[in-house]
Amino acid sequence: MIDRDVVFTSAGLHLSGSLTDPEGSDRSPCVLMVTGSGRVDRNENQKKFAINVMGRLAGLLAQRGIASLRYDKRGVGASEGVFWGTGFYDNVLDASAALAFLRTHERMAHDKIFLLGHSEGAYIVTRVAAEAPDAAGVVLLSGGARLGEEELRWQAEQVAGSLTGVNAWLVKLLRIDIVKAQKKQLEKIKRSDKDWYRTQLVGKVNAKWMREFLSYDPADDLSRIEGPVLAITGSKDIQVDPGNLERMAGLVTAPFESHVLPDVTHLLRSEAGPGGLSTYKKQVQKAIDPRVPDLIIAWL
């Protein structure tokens, strides 16, 4: 296995990534990996919180003769640009540029390029795949099938119900209605015309990204994907509704395979307990649930 540093251009910016190439192979099938939301790097890591989904998958795929490309978002890691001014559709544009880069790479089998996304990345590759009929297939990890705003409202309800210990006590003591507070925040974002602004609760809010994501409905794009689709979501995912897989089944007209993995969370780790936000720091210390890469590799 060889990890090569690569650079490709999107909207005049140089984006940096890692092309993981099975050693000794020629014209390899390849998976373009797109990370989830937030200021995460090519491996889906951020300071003090390393998910490392993409880095782990890249190594496992290479062992089976499958190459992969993962890259840093704008303004993250070694990539140019400003993260806080980057919208959802800018991320889509960057993923399309990465796909174009792979289509011309001398070591890639150009008819065997697959798209894989996790969380927001799954929304992004859904949009890209709808405009790329030559994509060999699509893997959606914790993907969505309804309006972004509906998904975030569902998420707030799950998070509110999953709070335990001190967090639950504080919310009760201060009489905080998490769902109501989120609704108020979303309405403020929709009224804003700024790329980002500061808030006392979370520091900075990427308002441009949020406005675009809130209004994005992947339903039409799911119906336009021509290559086969694999969708995997954990039963204990509290950020993206596992029920999306049933919605996808009614929307995708291409060959479709889906799996709701028991006890798997949004971080793609197995969790015996409730799997709420309070256990996230402990979850990332575990390996990815082996069922996830096993299903992906078998499907590929």
Side-chain angles (χ1 to χ4, degrees), residues 140 265 289-290:
L140 305 176
T265 70
D289 188 288

Side-chain angles (χ1 to χ4, degrees), residues 2-10 13-21 30-33 42 67-73 76-80 94 97-108:
I2 302 173
D3 247 356
R4 293 186 172 89
D5 289 333
V6 296
V7 177
F8 61 92
T9 303
S10 178
L13 299 170
H14 293 104
L15 303 184
S16 297
S18 296
L19 185 63
T20 303
D21 201 353
C30 186
V31 177
L32 170 60
M33 299 180 173
R42 68 191 70 182
S68 62
L69 171 64
R70 60 201 194 276
Y71 59 92
D72 295 333
K73 294 180 177 183
V76 178
S79 288
E80 295 179 344
D94 295 344
L99 177 59
F101 169 79
L102 289 175
R103 283 171 172 161
T104 60
H105 197 282
E106 60 183 6
R107 292 188 56 80
M108 300 300 110

Side-chain angles (χ1 to χ4, degrees), residues 37 39-41 43-53 239 266-267 269 276-285:
S37 60
R39 201 172 186 176
V40 296
D41 64 15
N43 293 320
E44 212 162 24
N45 297 337
Q46 57 181 308
K47 191 176 181 180
K48 297 183 180 180
F49 196 71
I51 301 176
N52 200 35
V53 168
Q239 291 184 241
H266 189 72
L267 303 186
R269 269 73 172 181
L277 293 179
S278 62
T279 66
Y280 269 21
K281 288 187 178 180
K282 290 184 178 179
Q283 287 181 41
V284 296
Q285 297 173 18

Side-chain angles (χ1 to χ4, degrees), residues 180-196:
K180 186 176 179 180
Q182 186 216 43
K183 182 179 179 180
K184 183 178 179 180
Q185 180 71 4
L186 293 184
E187 291 302 320
K188 179 180 178 180
I189 288 170
K190 287 191 284 186
R191 291 193 302 269
S192 170
D193 59 0
K194 297 180 179 179
D195 285 352
W196 64 274

Side-chain angles (χ1 to χ4, degrees), residues 213-263:
F213 181 76
L214 289 171
S215 63
Y216 175 60
D217 188 344
D220 180 60
D221 287 333
L222 285 165
S223 68
R224 294 195 295 135
I225 295 175
E226 296 187 16
V229 177
L230 171 66
I232 302 171
T233 302
S235 68
K236 291 183 177 177
D237 196 322
I238 63 168
Q239 291 184 241
V240 177
D241 185 4
N244 279 314
L245 298 190
E246 290 187 17
R247 299 183 188 96
M248 289 178 189
L251 293 166
V252 177
T253 57
F256 180 73
E257 178 181 329
S258 67
H259 300 269
V260 176
L261 297 183
D263 292 329

Side-chain angles (χ1 to χ4, degrees), residues 120-142:
E120 183 206 352
Y123 285 84
I124 291 170
V125 299
T126 295
R127 184 79 188 98
V128 172
E131 301 292 337
D134 58 338
V138 183
V139 179
L140 305 176
L141 304 177
S142 303

